[in-house]
Amino acid sequence: MAIRLTDVANEAGVSLATASRVLNGSARKPAAEISDKVRAAAEKLGYFPNAQAQALARATTKLVGLVVRDIADPYFSTIARGVQRGLGDSGTQLLLASTDSEPEREIEAVRAFMSQRTDAIILSGSRGESEDDGLLKLIENYQDNGGQVVVIGQPLASTGGIQVDNRTTSEHLAGELIRAGHRKFVILAGDENLLTSRHRAQGFLAKLKRTGLSAVDVIHGAFSREGAYMAMSDYLGDRKPGVSGQICVFCVSDVMALGAMRAIRERGLQVPEDIAVAGFDDIPTLEDVTPTVSTARLPLEEIGRWAGEMVLSHGEARKMVVTGTPILRESSELRSAKG
């Protein structure tokens, strides 16, 4: 009876993927003691690696998969452009999948990229508080077979990538708005189940508290332009007469800020004369909007480029943390005459 690779894996007490990486020449190598166990098991059983399997294990497809939440969102399209820059003239082609914020579609996208034997998968987008076991198992299997995974946003176990320090960046933005003279804040906090929106709101509130201030209101809703439009419309419709003077609305993303500004205009109010607005991310279109929008600037295209370069490095997964910079523009100008 022919000895199979499965027999070697069982004899060595390792997974089939690990045995394949040792004996078929994968670029991703297990620890030395594990490799020694696998080779000893192969020698004991008289197993000889298949030449075709070895060639397949060493092959690269020159394909990288990028999974984003919403390709229509300038945040993600800018990151995608940066990834393409990072891949440069390596001959690697970028494949794109958009999940529309549905976790099951993220798993479907990862499976699809695995079936296409991509050399790497880049995951970009906010996550919930608990990690999806199904996604983690898929990633582990993909890595065991030599694939690379880079995450942009909140880190996942066993992966490298770029993490955004949303809390600290929000604190810095709140500090700049306070220094500019603002004292009354409403926070459009997005979906509290998403770590990105939660951390941005928490950082802003923490800075207010340390300064002796508190938010007039914290409003949750969809982490989207339409979600912010609806939240702002409801707030303006229910606004208490006792809340007077110029309010500054902090939106936990720029697209939310644009939705809030639309709602403000539809009520016959002006930005910033009646209500000041600030966002987060610094998507490329902000300076083209009237008034120009205050925000916390993240180097979105550079973040994408770094992710692409990590893929090409073929080394152990690296991790880096990025903190944004407050940028005050016309939308948050203080009008002292308004109180």
Side-chain angles (χ1 to χ4, degrees):
M1 184 178 68
I3 301 299
R4 301 170 302 167
L5 184 59
T6 304
D7 301 319
V8 176
N10 291 336
E11 177 70 23
V14 300
S15 69
L16 179 61
T18 297
S20 176
R21 283 161 50 196
V22 174
L23 299 175
N24 289 328
S26 171
R28 184 177 171 86
K29 298 291 186 184
E33 60 270 22
I34 295 177
S35 297
D36 290 343
K37 284 176 62 177
V38 172
R39 292 191 186 96
E43 184 175 352
K44 175 182 176 181
L45 297 176
Y47 174 81
F48 296 94
N50 181 281
Q52 185 178 13
Q54 287 183 321
L56 186 61
R58 289 192 296 267
T60 63
T61 60
K62 292 286 189 178
L63 295 175
V64 171
L66 172 62
V67 183
V68 300
R69 185 174 63 87
D70 181 6
I71 192 57
D73 187 330
Y75 175 94
F76 293 106
S77 57
T78 305
I79 285 176
R81 182 173 61 194
V83 172
Q84 189 69 65
R85 278 185 55 206
L87 297 175
D89 58 359
S90 65
T92 302
Q93 297 299 310
L94 184 65
L95 307 179
L96 185 64
S98 182
T99 67
D100 292 329
S101 305
E102 298 178 15
E104 59 273 16
R105 292 191 65 178
E106 183 176 39
I107 290 178
E108 290 172 5
V110 171
R111 283 202 182 105
F113 288 147
M114 289 173 67
S115 70
Q116 295 176 68
R117 293 184 51 79
T118 55
D119 297 330
I121 297 174
I122 301 172
L123 301 175
S124 177
S126 184
R127 311 201 158 276
E129 186 170 10
S130 59
E131 297 179 347
D132 188 290
D133 288 339
L135 178 63
L136 293 178
K137 288 177 181 177
L138 271 181
I139 288 175
E140 182 180 353
N141 179 265
Y142 179 69
Q143 291 173 317
D144 281 344
N145 284 281
Q148 296 183 76
V149 177
V150 173
V151 176
I152 298 174
Q154 289 81 28
L156 285 172
S158 79
T159 69
I162 300 102
Q163 179 181 355
V164 176
D165 189 345
N166 287 301
R167 280 196 184 94
T168 300
T169 302
S170 271
E171 290 180 21
H172 291 168
L173 176 59
E176 287 300 306
L177 291 168
I178 292 168
R179 276 188 284 275
H182 288 285
R183 295 295 181 269
K184 299 175 183 177
F185 295 93
V186 168
I187 299 177
L188 296 194
D191 185 349
E192 60 183 334
N193 294 316
L194 290 178
L195 292 178
T196 293
S197 52
R198 185 192 305 178
H199 291 169
R200 291 177 180 184
Q202 287 175 344
F204 202 93
L205 287 167
K207 181 62 177 181
L208 295 186
K209 184 177 181 179
R210 288 201 302 273
T211 316
L213 301 173
S214 60
V216 173
D217 211 341
V218 178
I219 306 169
H220 295 282
F223 188 54
S224 65
R225 181 171 181 161
E226 190 63 23
Y229 168 78
M230 295 175 65
M232 195 72 228
S233 297
D234 290 344
Y235 171 76
L236 292 174
D238 298 337
R239 189 173 177 184
K240 301 177 181 63
V243 180
S244 60
Q246 186 187 27
I247 285 177
C248 181
V249 177
F250 168 57
C251 304
V252 294
S253 78
D254 288 338
V255 293
M256 289 183 65
L258 296 177
M261 290 170 68
R262 174 185 158 205
I264 292 168
R265 288 194 300 270
E266 288 185 2
R267 295 286 296 190
L269 302 172
Q270 292 183 306
V271 177
E273 289 82 358
D274 299 302
I275 298 178
V277 175
F280 194 116
D281 292 325
D282 199 27
I283 58 176
T285 55
L286 286 195
E287 292 188 76
D288 298 328
V289 177
T290 302
T292 54
V293 182
S294 298
T295 188
R297 173 180 290 167
L298 295 177
L300 298 177
E301 189 166 335
E302 290 301 289
I303 287 173
R305 180 175 65 82
W306 294 328
E309 290 174 348
M310 284 182 183
V311 165
L312 294 182
S313 70
H314 301 293
E316 287 299 316
R318 291 179 292 151
K319 296 182 180 180
M320 60 187 301
V321 179
V322 176
T323 303
T325 305
I327 303 292
L328 299 193
R329 300 190 179 108
E330 295 169 347
S331 70
S332 65
E333 288 180 358
L334 192 70
R335 294 292 185 257
S336 56
K338 295 288 183 180

